[in-house]
Amino acid sequence: MAAFLSLGIVVLATAPVALAKNGGEGWYGETNDVVITNWMFLTIIFFVVVISLFSLIQWRLDKRKHARMDAKKRRAANADPRGGW
């Protein structure tokens, strides 16, 4: 437990130093309201596209499942009741 506590303290103590390179600008550089707004629009578009894509995939899988179920019902209804070899 002491090792985890020590590791946590070291990580928290060194995080500001690691993120403060380039005068505190970070990896991207200078950010302003336009940059943040554009990133948030891209985030919104990303989630809309992902949800739409997954919904289309689910729709196709459901369509295939129902086709298999209908085919199984048709085969069961047309089964030859006589049996045989």
Side-chain angles (χ1 to χ4, degrees):
M1 190 66 172
F4 286 122
L5 183 63
S6 299
L7 178 66
I9 290 172
V10 168
V11 167
L12 290 175
T14 57
V17 176
L19 295 175
K21 63 180 183 178
N22 297 331
E25 288 183 1
W27 293 321
Y28 182 78
E30 183 179 356
T31 56
N32 54 21
D33 291 341
V34 175
V35 172
I36 298 300
T37 302
N38 290 337
W39 272 104
M40 290 304 106
F41 281 137
L42 289 173
T43 303
I44 292 169
I45 291 169
F46 169 77
F47 282 112
V48 168
V49 168
V50 166
I51 290 170
S52 298
L53 180 67
F54 287 166
S55 295
L56 285 172
I57 291 170
Q58 184 67 37
W59 171 70
R60 289 289 295 165
L61 290 173
D62 282 342
K63 189 175 174 182
R64 289 179 59 195
K65 180 179 80 171
H66 290 297
R68 282 194 312 268
M69 289 171 50
D70 292 341
K72 184 178 178 181
K73 286 180 186 177
R74 284 192 304 271
R75 282 193 306 270
N78 293 333
D80 192 7
R82 293 179 298 164
W85 295 87

